[in-house]
Amino acid sequence: MNKFTSIQDVPNLQELLTVARDCKQQPFANKHIGTNKTLGLLFFNPSLRTRMSTQKAAYNLGMDVIVMNVGSDSWTLETRDGVIMDGSATEHIKEAAAVMGEYCDILGLRTFAGLVDKQLDYSEDVLEKFIRYSGKPVISLESATRHPLQSLADVFTIEAHKTTTRPKVVLTWAPHPKALPQAVPNSFAEWAIAMNYNVVIAHPVGYELSGEFTRGASITHNQDEALHNADFVYAKNWSSFHNYGTILSHDKGWMITAEKMSCTNNAKFMHCLPVRRNQIVSDAVLDSPNSIVTEEAGNRVVSAQAVLRTMIESLA
Ligand code: SN0
């Protein structure tokens, strides 16, 4: 695996899940494989779980880690080709990525959607330029359109909790005060569909995700109907894809409450975090034993470690 930016980069999902299980059971069994290898973690946007879990995963494999807040601590980067750099950007992504590639064996990159220019976001401009100019394997730490380390942790968590071979997994939109990217729901949908779960996506009118991520899922505007008999409820806000980056609804009726959870098959509640309490989900649900958000976040170490281990093996 020479990049990890979407499920398409994974040659064998079941094999990756087996490696992940092994990393969970024996986190320090491969402490030698990362010796003298450097992981660079580059953040254009804030992070808590991704930063800590990926760093820990790298340490478990004996890697050295350099963390750089590119968005705030380094020079401001120009990403457009052929421009006269007489504005505020100090350095071009061509040099910056190439230099980081000199220092690191693997690069992780967080670059959120700008939510202004759909075409630019969905072309994964910054991520693709880092891949091209760094010359090193790149791991997405949430790009404009996907969050694959999160999705791998999500399906790993579902595998650990499922009580039927093909669980009903409901991805539901929930309200949020800010416009958020589609990366987490896009990615969760494509991984959950690849796992052959019974995937149902519920959202208000106008919140349809791009069809490339949701093919194979049932899509409904009726949340109650979706939640009926669900085994897993994955809540997430996202802004509109079609009316790009806009908020079309603040409908509090979409918040996940204990009453809504009572229509499910004693479903587990999931969210990638950070989560807005009593906006996305009520305190009662988040504080209930059915909430597995902390374990889900804990499994971010497992997903990062499985990906790093697989990548290091293909470096050699
Ligand atoms: C990001 C998102 O893509 O939705 C990261 C999730 C892992 N979430 C946010 O930016 C939340 C911001 C907020 O104000 O709640």
Side-chain angles (χ1 to χ4, degrees):
M1 207 160 54
N2 65 352
K3 63 181 169 112
F4 182 76
T5 64
S6 85
I7 194 149
Q8 277 81 295
D9 296 327
V10 179
N12 187 324
L13 178 51
Q14 287 305 328
E15 248 170 52
L16 187 60
L17 286 168
T18 303
V19 176
R21 267 187 289 274
D22 190 53
C23 292
K24 177 112 182 175
Q25 279 155 14
Q26 306 187 68
F28 310 115
N30 294 84
K31 190 89 199 178
H32 56 283
I33 70 163
T35 308
N36 297 336
K37 298 267 189 290
T38 300
L39 172 69
L41 297 178
L42 316 173
F43 291 95
F44 282 94
N45 316 94
S47 170
L48 187 159
R49 279 146 292 277
T50 300
R51 179 168 170 158
M52 291 182 74
S53 64
T54 311
Q55 207 163 341
K56 183 175 163 73
Y59 291 151
N60 287 353
L61 296 167
M63 299 184 87
D64 297 313
V65 184
I66 301 174
V67 182
M68 176 61 134
N69 297 316
V70 196
S72 55
D73 295 350
S74 80
W75 302 108
T76 45
L77 295 189
E78 177 58 66
T79 58
R80 294 165 300 171
D81 293 322
V83 290
I84 299 167
M85 288 175 59
D86 60 355
S88 58
T90 316
E91 179 163 23
H92 202 277
I93 194 168
K94 281 190 183 179
E95 284 75 50
V99 168
M100 290 173 184
E102 288 286 311
Y103 304 148
C104 303
D105 300 282
I106 297 175
L107 291 171
L109 182 68
R110 165 159 286 195
T111 169
F112 284 179
L115 296 180
V116 176
D117 183 336
K118 173 158 61 175
Q119 245 185 330
L120 187 71
D121 284 349
Y122 274 70
S123 74
E124 291 288 9
D125 185 54
V126 178
L127 181 69
E128 289 301 330
K129 283 178 175 154
F130 255 91
I131 292 170
R132 191 172 332 140
Y133 300 129
S134 70
K136 290 291 155 77
V138 171
I139 298 175
S140 163
L141 307 175
E142 186 173 340
S143 71
T145 66
R146 294 172 172 93
H147 194 359
L149 285 176
Q150 180 66 49
S151 310
L152 174 55
D154 293 338
V155 301
F156 182 86
T157 307
I158 292 175
E159 288 301 286
H161 282 276
K162 73 178 189 185
T163 51
T164 53
T165 39
R166 193 164 187 262
K168 179 174 181 183
V169 176
V170 178
L171 166 63
T172 179
W173 182 93
H176 194 285
K178 282 175 23 188
L180 297 185
Q182 297 102 33
V184 170
N186 281 347
S187 200
F188 180 73
E190 67 180 357
W191 284 71
I193 292 164
M195 290 297 291
N196 194 32
Y197 300 147
N198 173 12
V199 180
V200 180
I201 304 175
H203 55 70
V205 175
Y207 278 99
E208 289 71 20
L209 295 164
S210 169
E212 65 174 305
F213 301 98
T214 59
R215 218 157 286 124
S218 321
I219 297 164
T220 173
H221 298 141
N222 186 333
Q223 192 190 46
D224 292 335
E225 197 181 281
L227 292 175
H228 185 72
N229 265 335
D231 296 301
F232 294 88
V233 175
Y234 196 105
K236 182 72 184 86
N237 172 269
W238 63 88
S239 60
S240 173
F241 171 71
H242 293 285
N243 202 337
Y244 195 62
T246 60
I247 298 176
L248 304 175
S249 168
H250 286 286
D251 189 351
K252 296 271 194 289
W254 281 76
M255 178 172 84
I256 297 298
T257 60
E259 191 191 347
K260 288 190 184 173
M261 290 297 282
S262 69
C263 305
T264 68
N265 182 27
N266 196 26
K268 302 293 184 201
F269 176 82
M270 300 178 74
H271 189 282
C272 63
L273 306 182
V275 70
R276 304 277 190 132
R277 281 178 174 260
N278 303 311
Q279 173 83 22
I280 297 279
V281 56
S282 71
D283 283 336
V285 174
L286 201 52
D287 296 330
S288 78
N290 283 41
S291 169
I292 53 172
V293 297
T294 308
E295 181 184 332
E296 184 185 355
N299 285 334
R300 292 292 307 277
V301 178
V302 173
S303 74
Q305 196 168 333
V307 169
L308 285 170
R309 198 173 117 182
T310 309
M311 258 186 189
I312 292 169
E313 278 159 6
S314 48
L315 280 180

